Amino acid sequence: MRPADLLASSWRAIRSHKMRSILTMLGIVVGIASVVLTVGLGLGTQKDVSEQIAALGSDLLIVSPGSSTDESGLRGGFGSGETLTLTDAEALASEVAVPDAADVAAEKTASLSLEYGESNWTTDVTGTSTSWADVRSRELLYGSFFTEDDATAAASVIVLGAETAQELFGSTSVVGQDVTIDGEAYEIVGVLAEAGSSGETSLDDMAVVPMTTMVEQLDTSGNSESVDTIYVKAASSDVLSAASQETTSLLLNLHGLASAEDADFTVEVQDSLLDAATSVYEKLTVLLTGIAALALLVGGIGVMNIMLVSVTERTREIGLRKALGAAPANIRNQFLIEAMILGLSGGAVGVIIGVGLALALPSVLGSTIVISGLALVVSVVVAVGIGAVFGVYPAARAAKLAPIDALRDQ
Amino acid sequence: MAAPVIELTGARKTYHTGDIEFEALRGIDCRIFPGEYVAIVGPSGSGKSTLMNILGCLDVLTSGSYVLAGEDVSRMDEVALASARNRRIGFVFQQFHLLSSLTALGNVELPLVYAGVSPAERRDRAMVALERVGLGDKSRNHPGQLSGGQQQRVAIARALVTEPAIVLADEPTGNLDSHSTRDVLGMLDDLHSEGSTIVLITHESDVAARAGTVYNVTDGQFVGAGTEIAK
Ligand SMILES: Nc1ncnc2c1ncn2[C@@H]1O[C@H](COP(=O)(O)OP(=O)(O)OP(=O)(O)O)[C@@H](O)[C@H]1O
Ligand SMILES: [Mg+2]
């Protein structure tokens, strides 16, 4: 039998039972559409997170007090303690000790109430150096960052996040205005451009003042020397790990510690955050794909079920074809190809619906869905494969029918 | 005389239904020569259809041998039997057995499809066969758009299209009215006069009377020798 005739024969059988064929395809359509959606959602979320993290800069080291590799539970946990100081920050800024660092910015943050006229707003006020905007990759929407002179003089100047300005003034164009903190007036010299959020904390609801101003006027911690975080920006992302090693050994030295195991601080690379987030979303993708695979399995069983019904219904046709000279393999191939065509059409329709939903849903859900061409191709191939796998048993049944029994049927 | 188309020697067929064995054919010897028109008659349950299934390579003997057009088919496997049916046998069934999804032409083409004949040649040969049964103008009709007699003529065209060694017809007029019966039997007469070898199974004596030789089956055996019918 010629392959083209085999195809035509299978295609005619599908067309002559339109409704049944459509119902058979339905399971595959739903399965494939959900695969396209879930994989797209997984990839999309991963992309969102990667972009947010990349926006923070992939050449950035974050030095925090305390140790995250704390097994004994005796040392202060990650992010706690007051083991980092302004002296540490100054030392890290030295080109000799840390040649691969381009810039350093220490942060000391307090939650404070800002007032303007009748309105007041509590936000995190960060004391830092003039290098901060560059280190944290922040742009200014209006005005400028405070200057070295402001820092030396511990001037009463402040830079507001866009959201903070909006909350206090109902506008972001507020350069030159004053906000009051603890009865002291601070002149707004700049407003930061929006940067979104990093995990829990908003990057737009904040205020920045010179470190000197923070220490002398606003700090409530009682320890004027300690800082919360030191950001070290590497000269380039290539030398990030070198910068990390230099930072670690300098701080160990300053803190009089012998080995990295005793470190009372933690040096983190943004990339490790990216890795952690990626692995979470990889797990999510696996989970969603598992659910979609289940939907596909159900679809496949549907194909098998209906193909079995079809074999029973077409017993006489099978008998006739055999009487006219069809070999068992001809009959088997016809049913297998029918199942694969159903899989292919179901897969194609599923991909179309999945892509349609992927285009429509983001505006409703506010989440990104990435449509990957590879995923679409794989989906269709999988759908055809499902048709083939679940078609094997019905096809074998049809091929095995004895022609006399099949002709006598009814 | 030429070699026989069909040579059946000591043909036995035993059916097993659970523990019960039933001998449907009990040692039949039979030779049919090219161009013969043979009728097989007998009461219901005597084994006519069983014999026809054997002759048509739809089933195999329990013992004995069957040589069809020089090929021993009694020990063939499924694939070889399928090919033997395709090349050697043209079937005409009581229930027509046309595929409703195909046109008359498509139905007649079907044996050629399994023979692997190219579409163009298939169409031509199927059209010739349809014209031979007088249905050249109905080639695009589906079976549902044809009368019973016309459907059986399409089936006869399908049986002829491969130019088989033998045309096997099991009760071909069983589902037809008297007019269509005459029509179909006339067709078989024409085929015979054009040289086809025909084996007709029937329980009606007037139908059998058209054949050249009549075999009488009772309880799975031939009764007497083949009766030559004088014309
Ligand atoms: N597949 C089978 N299994 C068991 N017994 C069978 C089978 N097919 C036929 N038989 C038995 O073999 C005998 C002959 O059956 P067959 O169909 O050949 O009769 P027939 O001569 O064609 O009868 P009819 O004129 O009614 O068509 C019957 O007794 C029948 O019950
Ligand atoms: Mg019978």
Side-chain angles (χ1 to χ4, degrees), chain A residues 19 29 73 85 88 92 96 133 265 273 282 291 312 322 394 407:
Chain A
M19 197 60 198
V29 170
T85 63
D88 292 335
L92 286 171
V96 180
F265 58 88
L273 287 177
E282 271 168 5
I291 294 169
T312 307
K322 286 193 155 186
L407 279 173

Side-chain angles (χ1 to χ4, degrees), chain A residues 273-291:
Chain A
L273 287 177
L274 182 64
D275 288 347
T278 305
S279 91
V280 166
Y281 287 105
E282 271 168 5
K283 280 184 191 123
L284 184 72
T285 305
V286 167
L287 182 75
L288 291 173
T289 310
I291 294 169

Side-chain angles (χ1 to χ4, degrees), chain B residues 210-221:
Chain B
R210 292 170 168 258
T213 312
V214 178
Y215 290 103
N216 235 301
V217 194
T218 308
D219 288 339
Q221 285 176 307

Side-chain angles (χ1 to χ4, degrees), chain A residues 404-405 408, chain B residues 15-17 22-25 42-51 53 59 94 170-171 201 203 217:
Chain A
I404 43 164
D405 295 337
R408 201 187 287 130
Chain B
Y15 288 119
H16 299 266
T17 316
F22 182 81
E23 261 210 313
L25 299 182
S44 182
S46 56
K48 301 186 297 292
S49 294
T50 303
L51 182 58
N53 289 338
D59 207 351
Q94 179 174 351
D170 190 1
E171 306 275 12
I201 289 175
H203 60 267
V217 194

Side-chain angles (χ1 to χ4, degrees), chain A residues 4-335:
Chain A
D5 291 326
L6 193 60
L7 259 179
S9 176
S10 302
W11 178 239
R12 206 176 303 107
I14 287 171
R15 285 227 343 227
S16 62
H17 296 99
K18 280 201 191 68
M19 197 60 198
R20 185 167 74 194
S21 302
I22 288 171
L23 289 176
T24 312
M25 278 164 47
L26 208 57
I28 304 265
V29 170
V30 171
I32 291 294
S34 50
V35 167
V36 169
L37 265 189
T38 51
V39 171
L41 205 63
L43 290 174
T45 316
Q46 195 176 324
K47 181 167 162 262
D48 282 352
V49 171
S50 310
E51 274 174 4
Q52 279 166 13
I53 290 174
L56 298 172
S58 64
D59 50 1
L60 203 56
L61 293 172
I62 305 164
V63 188
S64 315
S67 165
S68 61
T69 54
D70 184 357
E71 281 163 33
S72 61
L74 291 175
R75 285 192 307 266
F78 174 67
S80 69
E82 300 182 336
T83 56
L84 290 179
T85 63
L86 286 168
T87 317
D88 292 335
E90 276 161 30
L92 286 171
S94 141
E95 264 179 50
V96 180
V98 192
D100 290 309
D103 236 330
V104 174
E107 284 189 1
K108 190 177 178 71
T109 300
S111 182
L112 295 167
S113 180
L114 278 57
E115 291 165 31
Y116 168 74
E118 291 295 291
S119 53
N120 71 78
W121 183 251
T122 301
T123 191
D124 285 337
V125 179
T126 298
T128 188
S129 54
T130 51
S131 56
W132 184 87
D134 179 42
V135 171
R136 300 293 309 268
S137 312
R138 296 297 298 264
E139 306 274 327
L140 278 112
L141 186 60
Y142 294 113
S144 56
F145 212 67
F146 55 77
T147 61
E148 210 57 60
D149 287 347
D150 292 329
T152 315
S156 293
V157 291
I158 192 165
V159 176
L160 294 184
E163 192 182 330
T164 312
Q166 194 69 38
E167 290 291 347
L168 275 172
F169 295 89
S171 153
T172 48
S173 175
V174 294
V175 173
Q177 307 259 36
D178 283 355
V179 288
T180 309
I181 307 173
D182 270 345
E184 279 280 335
Y186 292 80
E187 188 193 348
I188 301 168
V189 292
V191 175
L192 295 166
E194 289 193 23
S197 65
S198 141
E200 306 256 292
T201 52
S202 167
L203 294 171
D204 297 316
D205 182 15
M206 64 180 309
V208 189
V209 296
M211 184 61 92
T212 45
T213 309
M214 185 71 184
V215 170
E216 288 170 24
Q217 301 175 19
L218 298 169
D219 182 33
T220 52
S221 69
N223 186 345
S224 59
E225 263 291 293
S226 82
V227 296
D228 298 325
T229 312
I230 302 172
Y231 288 92
V232 179
K233 185 187 172 91
S236 78
S237 49
D238 298 338
V239 296
L240 192 64
S241 62
S244 174
Q245 279 165 17
E246 291 157 12
T247 301
T248 304
S249 61
L250 176 65
L251 286 177
L252 284 173
N253 215 327
L254 287 172
H255 293 190
L257 300 169
S259 84
E261 281 158 30
D262 302 327
D264 55 359
F265 58 88
T266 304
V267 181
E268 263 194 311
V269 179
Q270 283 284 7
D271 276 354
S272 63
L273 287 177
L274 182 64
D275 288 347
T278 305
S279 91
V280 166
Y281 287 105
E282 271 168 5
K283 280 184 191 123
L284 184 72
T285 305
V286 167
L287 182 75
L288 291 173
T289 310
I291 294 169
L294 219 61
L296 276 180
L297 181 71
V298 173
I301 291 170
V303 168
M304 179 150 82
N305 191 16
I306 299 200
M307 291 299 292
L308 282 174
V309 170
S310 170
V311 169
T312 307
E313 211 176 70
R314 285 154 63 190
T315 299
R316 262 154 49 100
E317 173 190 331
I318 294 162
L320 173 76
R321 288 181 183 273
K322 286 193 155 186
L324 298 183
N330 294 139
I331 301 292
R332 187 193 63 220
N333 291 344
Q334 177 178 340
F335 279 87

Side-chain angles (χ1 to χ4, degrees), chain B:
Chain B
M1 197 172 229
V5 184
I6 284 175
E7 191 165 15
L8 213 50
T9 318
R12 291 182 175 272
K13 178 71 189 177
T14 309
Y15 288 119
H16 299 266
T17 316
D19 290 340
I20 303 161
E21 286 194 359
F22 182 81
E23 261 210 313
L25 299 182
R26 309 174 183 215
I28 286 183
D29 298 302
C30 164
R31 297 172 137 211
I32 297 172
F33 290 90
E36 267 196 280
Y37 188 174
V38 171
I40 294 172
V41 293
S44 182
S46 56
K48 301 186 297 292
S49 294
T50 303
L51 182 58
M52 145 108 173
N53 289 338
I54 297 293
L55 294 181
C57 302
L58 292 169
D59 207 351
V60 287
L61 289 171
T62 311
S63 69
S65 86
Y66 175 26
V67 177
L68 169 64
E71 280 184 282
D72 184 359
V73 295
S74 41
R75 301 285 173 270
M76 277 185 174
D77 66 4
E78 275 242 44
V79 177
L81 283 176
S83 161
R85 287 194 292 270
N86 184 255
R87 287 174 293 121
R88 308 286 190 213
I89 314 284
F91 288 101
V92 182
F93 301 98
Q94 179 174 351
Q95 300 95 333
F96 318 145
H97 282 316
L98 298 177
L99 293 187
S100 56
S101 59
L102 297 177
T103 60
L105 190 70
N107 271 285
V108 176
E109 279 187 43
L110 211 47
L112 300 177
V113 169
Y114 289 112
V117 175
S118 76
E121 186 186 342
R122 230 155 58 195
R123 286 185 72 81
D124 293 346
R125 285 170 64 179
M127 207 57 218
V128 168
L130 268 180
E131 272 157 11
R132 209 165 147 196
V133 299
L135 286 177
D137 55 335
K138 302 284 189 192
S139 64
R140 291 176 172 281
N141 288 37
H142 283 259
Q145 300 161 329
L146 295 169
S147 74
Q150 286 170 335
Q151 288 185 50
Q152 195 61 304
R153 275 151 67 186
V154 172
I156 291 172
R158 182 180 64 193
L160 294 175
V161 77
T162 51
E163 288 158 22
I166 178 169
V167 174
L168 279 180
D170 190 1
E171 306 275 12
T173 59
N175 277 355
L176 298 177
D177 61 20
S178 56
H179 175 78
S180 299
T181 295
R182 245 177 286 125
D183 207 29
V184 165
L185 291 177
M187 198 108 274
L188 292 177
D189 285 346
D190 293 347
L191 293 181
H192 175 233
S193 61
E194 286 161 26
S196 294
T197 312
I198 299 172
V199 174
L200 173 73
I201 289 175
T202 182
H203 60 267
E204 292 172 75
S205 48
D206 55 333
V207 173
R210 292 170 168 258
T213 312
V214 178
Y215 290 103
N216 235 301
V217 194
T218 308
D219 288 339
Q221 285 176 307
F222 280 171
V223 178
T227 313
E228 300 277 343
I229 297 195
K231 289 250 169 117

